[in-house]
């Protein structure tokens, strides 16, 4: 267990999940199964830390209220009070004085990733949303049944929509007193799984990093997320775990729910009052080697390609990136850069906009990368910002256009943290 102090009395408790392999997905005979949960396949997962509970309203409020410090760069504003179930909307339970310990909801995928980015920048650790594979591995905690409790689930074990009339699709026909609570409940209220994680079934759906796919046919099988960095930010993302508003078959360990992530910070309508998230913290390397929680993300195991026609430029910036454990390669032209991309994997590209007297050289590189179907984040590091080129770069899918050194480091670390 590792505790991150967030301030104002809020603490983030992270549980260590050991490296291992598991069978991901649901067998065809599992009641309530959906086709996108197959085929069952083996996945190898490296060690990581994951939140003991979903992010609470209190934790969210603190991080959303953080003010930037030197070297930090927030990507978007966060509404400190997005949740529906607070104030008059919440029916407080016995012994509950407020809703601080209920999971935050009505947060978009972009909001959740911004929360992770702020945590990473402030703590110098590698916080991110879990991949689907990490989430299901952590949820199952060594089990292979529909729930980590066993083949069925009862209302005294989780917060879901209890079904009062059993039918052939019902999974709670053995529930002696099915309940429909119609709201969130405080995190940690129900029993944990074998790895000490609460609320993996029900309460709120949880955002994962992954883009939507119809099956597991094409992998990945190494614990990583299926992410297309060139896809629209509004694309559908996967949520896991079911919620207070869903029947038990949608709360199973293998259940996958595609959700479109609105860019609004405060979602005021729709089914989003049952969508929240929990966070993962990754070590320097995802190889599964033992590492001290206090040393998590003191560096990155990554390769960045720096494109500039003068290799003497930006030496100090490259040196600082290398101190973070980032391997920095260099190219002097679009052609050289494309040759490097063919030769080895690159995690991110840093490029000037102007090269060899051509003010659009950087944009041409970005277009060439997209034309080749490559999904590599491109950051433009420029001496002087030109609004018209900056706007075009962002329309083409650039990760950022930056002209300050501190912002460059923040942007690169944020990109690598979300791999």
């Amino acid at each position: 267990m590792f505790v991150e102090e967030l301030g104002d009395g809020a603490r983030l408790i992270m549980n260590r999940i050991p490296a291992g392999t598991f069978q991901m997905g649901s067998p065809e005979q599992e009641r309530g199964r959906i086709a996108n949960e197959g085929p069952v396949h083996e996945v190898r997962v490296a060690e990581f830390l994951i939140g003991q509970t979903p992010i609470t309203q209190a934790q969210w409020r603190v991080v959303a209220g953080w003010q930037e410090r030197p070297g930090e760069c927030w990507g978007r504003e966060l509404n400190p009070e997005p949740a529906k179930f607070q104030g008059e909307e919440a029916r407080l339970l016995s012994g509950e004085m407020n809703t601080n310990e209920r999971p935050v909801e009505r947060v978009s995928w972009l909001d959740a990733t911004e929360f992770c980015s702020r945590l990473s920048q402030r703590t110098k650790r590698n916080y991110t949303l879990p991949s689907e594979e990490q989430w299901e591995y952590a949820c199952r905690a060594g089990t292979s049944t529909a729930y980590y409790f066993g083949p069925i689930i009862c209302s005294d074990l989780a917060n879901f929509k209890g079904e009062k009339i059993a039918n052939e699709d019902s999974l709670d026909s053995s529930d002696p007193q099915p309940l429909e609570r119609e709201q969130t409940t405080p995190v940690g209220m129900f029993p944990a799984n074998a790895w000490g994680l609460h609320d993996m079934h029900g309460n709120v759906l949880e955002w994962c990093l992954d883009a939507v796919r119809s099956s597991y046919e094409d992998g990945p099988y190494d614990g990583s997320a299926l992410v297309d960095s060139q896809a629209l930010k509004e694309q559908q993302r996967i949520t896991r775990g079911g919620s207070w508003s869903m029947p038990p078959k949608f709360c199973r360990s293998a259940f996958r729910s595609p959700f479109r992530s609105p860019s609004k910070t405060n979602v005021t309508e729709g089914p989003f009052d049952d969508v929240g998230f929990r966070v993962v913290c990754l070590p320097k390397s995802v190889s599964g080697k033992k590492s001290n929680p206090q040393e998590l993300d003191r560096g990155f195991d990554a390769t960045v390609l720096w494109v500039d026609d003068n290799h003497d430029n930006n030496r100090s910036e490259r040196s600082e990136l290398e101190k973070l454990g980032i391997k920095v390669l260099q190219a002097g032209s679009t052609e050289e850069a494309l040759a490097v991309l063919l030769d080895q994997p690159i995690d991110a590209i840093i490029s000037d906009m102007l090269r060899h007297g051509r003010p659009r050289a950087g944009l041409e590189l970005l277009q060439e990368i997209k034309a080749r179907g490559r999904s590599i984040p491109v950051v433009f590091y420029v001496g002087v910002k030109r609004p018209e080129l900056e706007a075009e770069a962002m329309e083409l899918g650039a990760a950022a256009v930056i002209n300050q050194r501190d912002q460059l480091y923040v942007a690169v670390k944020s990109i690598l943290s979300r791999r």
Side-chain angles (χ1 to χ4, degrees):
M1 181 185 296
F2 173 61
V3 178
E4 191 79 79
E5 299 290 345
L6 303 178
D8 294 335
R11 310 168 79 223
L12 179 59
I13 300 177
M14 306 291 292
N15 285 15
R16 183 175 294 280
I17 305 301
T21 60
F22 79 110
Q23 296 296 308
M24 185 174 183
S26 61
E28 293 186 3
Q29 67 272 20
E30 184 169 295
R31 297 177 65 187
R33 181 183 190 270
I34 299 173
N36 71 355
E37 298 169 10
V40 175
H41 58 288
E42 183 174 274
V43 174
R44 178 174 296 277
V45 182
E47 181 183 65
F48 62 97
L49 301 180
I50 190 169
Q52 191 177 87
T53 70
I55 294 299
T56 66
Q57 293 179 23
Q59 292 165 340
W60 175 270
R61 189 180 303 117
V62 169
V63 175
W66 280 351
Q67 299 300 306
E68 289 179 1
R69 295 174 179 173
E72 296 177 341
C73 181
W74 299 163
R76 62 192 276 114
E77 293 293 323
L78 294 178
N79 177 7
E81 303 285 355
K84 173 182 178 179
F85 295 110
Q86 57 180 323
E88 295 181 358
E89 289 287 343
R91 301 182 306 280
L92 295 180
L93 306 180
S94 176
E96 192 180 18
M97 302 299 294
N98 53 53
T99 59
N100 285 345
E101 294 307 305
R102 294 199 188 190
V104 69
E105 16 84 14
R106 283 185 169 173
V107 292
S108 73
W109 185 87
L110 294 176
D111 293 334
T113 55
E114 169 66 17
F115 183 97
C116 294
S117 174
R118 293 188 182 192
L119 272 180
S120 297
Q121 294 179 56
R122 181 63 54 92
T123 66
K124 303 297 187 288
R125 282 182 268 277
N126 189 0
Y127 282 99
T128 181
L129 293 178
S131 70
E132 276 200 271
E133 295 178 348
Q134 289 170 328
W135 192 96
E136 186 170 327
Y137 178 60
C139 175
R140 290 189 179 280
T143 65
S144 59
T145 49
Y147 311 94
Y148 61 70
F149 304 110
I152 63 171
I153 193 168
C154 300
S155 296
D156 60 349
L157 297 177
N159 180 16
F160 58 92
K161 183 179 180 180
E163 296 177 325
K164 295 179 172 59
I165 301 176
N167 55 58
E168 61 181 8
D169 293 325
S170 176
L171 298 184
D172 69 341
S173 57
S174 299
D175 194 342
Q177 191 175 6
L179 299 176
E180 189 172 350
R181 294 181 174 90
E182 300 182 327
Q183 62 173 346
T184 56
T185 49
V187 300
M189 175 175 165
F190 299 99
N193 70 6
W195 286 341
L197 305 179
H198 295 269
D199 298 287
M200 299 296 282
H201 299 307
N203 216 359
V204 288
L205 286 155
E206 299 179 15
W207 288 116
C208 290
L209 275 178
D210 302 68
V212 171
R213 50 182 165 158
S214 59
S215 76
Y216 295 125
E217 290 286 358
D218 298 322
Y221 307 121
D222 60 357
S224 62
L226 178 71
V227 178
D228 181 357
S229 63
Q230 302 242 353
L232 293 174
K233 290 183 177 180
E234 302 302 316
Q235 75 178 75
Q236 286 187 315
R237 303 285 177 166
I238 287 291
T239 56
R240 287 299 206 117
S243 75
W244 61 267
S245 69
M246 306 177 81
K249 67 180 180 181
F250 297 136
C251 300
R252 293 172 297 110
S253 299
F255 175 69
R256 312 169 66 227
S257 177
F259 248 94
R260 185 166 296 281
S261 173
S263 58
K264 299 176 185 177
T265 298
N266 185 13
V267 181
T268 57
E269 58 186 16
F272 296 94
D273 53 12
D274 66 350
V275 180
F277 69 104
R278 75 178 71 212
V279 298
V280 155
C281 189
L282 302 177
K284 295 179 184 178
S285 167
V286 293
S287 63
K289 295 179 181 179
K290 295 287 185 180
S291 57
N292 188 321
Q294 274 72 12
E295 295 300 322
L296 289 173
D297 192 34
R298 297 302 180 187
F300 295 89
D301 180 11
T303 301
V304 167
L305 176 61
W306 196 299
V307 187
D308 195 313
D309 57 5
N310 186 342
H311 288 351
D312 287 332
N313 289 342
N314 309 122
R315 282 186 173 183
S316 61
E317 288 91 335
R318 295 198 301 273
S319 176
E320 287 301 313
L321 293 177
E322 288 170 346
K323 289 178 183 178
L324 295 172
I326 299 171
K327 181 180 180 181
V328 181
L329 305 179
Q330 291 183 265
S333 67
T334 293
E335 292 72 23
E336 287 182 22
L338 295 175
V340 173
L341 295 181
L342 289 174
D343 184 57
Q344 58 185 297
I346 298 296
D347 296 292
I349 293 174
I350 302 171
S351 174
D352 201 346
M353 198 76 79
L354 170 68
R355 286 197 302 280
H356 303 291
R358 293 157 53 195
R360 295 175 55 84
L363 297 179
E364 292 167 2
L365 170 62
L366 181 55
Q367 289 172 321
E368 289 290 340
I369 293 171
K370 288 175 65 69
R372 285 162 170 74
R374 301 297 298 272
S375 300
I376 303 174
V378 176
V379 174
F380 288 111
Y381 187 45
V382 300
V384 178
K385 282 192 174 185
R386 295 177 58 181
E388 69 281 4
L389 292 182
E390 180 179 358
E392 188 173 351
M394 299 308 291
E395 287 179 5
L396 287 172
V401 180
I402 290 166
N403 69 341
Q404 295 184 29
R405 180 181 303 182
D406 288 343
Q407 291 181 353
L408 173 70
Y409 303 146
V410 169
V412 171
K413 288 190 286 186
S414 178
I415 288 169
L416 298 181
S417 296
R418 295 196 294 267
R419 288 178 301 165

